[in-house]
Amino acid sequence: MTFNRGKSCRHFNYSINGKQLERVFRMRDLGVILNSSLSYNDHILNVSSRANALIGFIVRSTRDFRSPITMVNLYKTLVRPVLEYGSVIWSPYQIGHNEMLNRVQVRFVRLLGIRLGYTFLGTPVAEVENMFGLQSLSLRKKFLDVVFLNKIVSGVLDCPVILSYIDISIPIGTRSKTIFQRKSMLSYYAYNSSVQRLLRCGSDVAPLIEFFMRPTGFRNDLFQIIYKKS
């Protein structure tokens, strides 16, 4: 695979022991689908399709169940991990991709609403989400981003390469709460890259939490901060 974000790309053929390597334009690496333009569009389409198929399975399998909490538990166990696996890498920034993922949970909530006596389109989505503790996917991705950043800076994850991209800011005044220094990016793509997004998310919550604490206590405090603010 040749990675390139330009309009044209010069391809070279590579061989090993006289056998030419097959050229591909998309591949799966550790569960995340990459394509030659460094876009995660294929992965997001795949994730949405798999999650919707699992929702259909849950609805069919729980048809005779009386308690709606069973559906919720199955959604949290089977569907949400599909929507969130590796999201630190591929978390979308384009409106269309975010809407595609959000529609998955909205569909589930509307199907859950039918079990509660609502019609599909008449289900008060926000109310039902709040009733069963279903946080929005965008907030959950932000939560996972900040937890990952905490693990990097606290040394729980030993990854010097990623750590080298994280600049700790030295406050100019005593009132400054800025911890992470952010750099100007020349393109929208670079601005929304994983590390830059992590630093923005970390800076948003840094004034409200002790950032360099161990992950267990950090997760608990962060959960209260992010979801109470919402």
Side-chain angles (χ1 to χ4, degrees):
M1 178 182 287
T2 300
F3 294 99
N4 178 66
R5 288 187 56 80
K7 294 182 179 180
S8 61
C9 178
R10 181 176 297 177
H11 291 158
F12 294 91
N13 294 320
Y14 297 93
S15 301
I16 295 180
N17 295 328
K19 185 176 181 180
Q20 185 172 309
L21 298 181
E22 178 187 359
R23 176 169 298 281
V24 297
F25 296 93
R26 53 176 284 177
M27 63 176 290
R28 188 187 298 270
D29 185 20
L30 298 177
V32 178
I33 299 175
L34 305 173
N35 63 26
S36 58
S37 64
L38 293 174
S39 165
Y40 294 105
N41 180 66
D42 292 337
H43 181 76
I44 293 170
L45 287 171
N46 178 265
V47 163
S48 299
S49 177
R50 288 168 56 203
N52 277 312
L54 284 169
I55 289 175
F57 168 76
I58 291 172
V59 172
R60 293 191 301 272
S61 301
T62 61
R63 188 170 296 156
D64 298 325
F65 291 14
R66 294 184 178 181
S67 174
I69 195 65
T70 303
M71 284 183 65
V72 175
N73 288 336
L74 287 172
Y75 172 79
K76 290 180 177 179
T77 304
L78 299 178
V79 180
R80 214 157 59 178
V82 172
L83 295 170
E84 296 175 349
Y85 172 78
S87 64
V88 171
I89 300 298
W90 60 265
S91 186
Y93 60 90
Q94 295 174 316
I95 295 176
H97 287 160
N98 278 305
E99 289 180 347
M100 185 186 303
L101 293 172
N102 289 334
R103 282 197 297 268
V104 174
Q105 180 158 302
V106 169
R107 174 174 175 252
F108 170 76
V109 172
R110 292 188 186 281
L111 291 169
L112 179 63
I114 294 176
R115 302 288 177 91
L116 300 174
Y118 298 103
T119 62
F120 183 79
L121 295 178
T123 300
V125 175
E127 182 179 325
V128 174
E129 285 180 333
N130 186 59
M131 185 187 308
F132 292 97
L134 293 172
Q135 301 86 11
S136 70
L137 295 177
S138 58
L139 278 180
R140 285 188 57 82
K141 284 185 174 61
K142 182 175 182 179
F143 176 82
L144 295 172
D145 280 350
V146 179
V147 168
F148 181 82
L149 181 60
N150 167 259
K151 289 180 179 180
I152 291 293
V153 299
S154 63
V156 173
L157 290 179
D158 183 16
C159 189
V161 174
I162 296 179
L163 187 60
S164 67
Y165 291 116
I166 298 174
D167 294 329
I168 305 299
S169 177
I170 300 176
I172 298 177
T174 56
R175 294 186 179 183
S176 175
K177 297 293 185 178
T178 301
I179 293 181
F180 303 106
Q181 185 174 355
R182 290 173 285 176
K183 300 177 181 179
S184 297
M185 297 289 113
L186 297 178
S187 67
Y188 192 58
Y189 181 84
Y191 175 80
N192 288 285
S193 62
S194 297
V195 172
Q196 294 303 314
R197 189 188 69 251
L198 291 177
L199 296 181
R200 288 196 300 275
C201 291
S203 296
D204 288 343
V205 302
L208 306 173
I209 193 170
E210 176 54 52
F211 212 92
F212 298 94
M213 65 193 298
R214 301 299 290 178
T216 302
F218 183 85
R219 285 178 67 100
N220 295 334
D221 291 351
L222 179 64
F223 186 90
Q224 297 298 322
I225 290 171
I226 288 184
Y227 297 126
K228 279 188 176 181
K229 283 178 65 178
S230 64

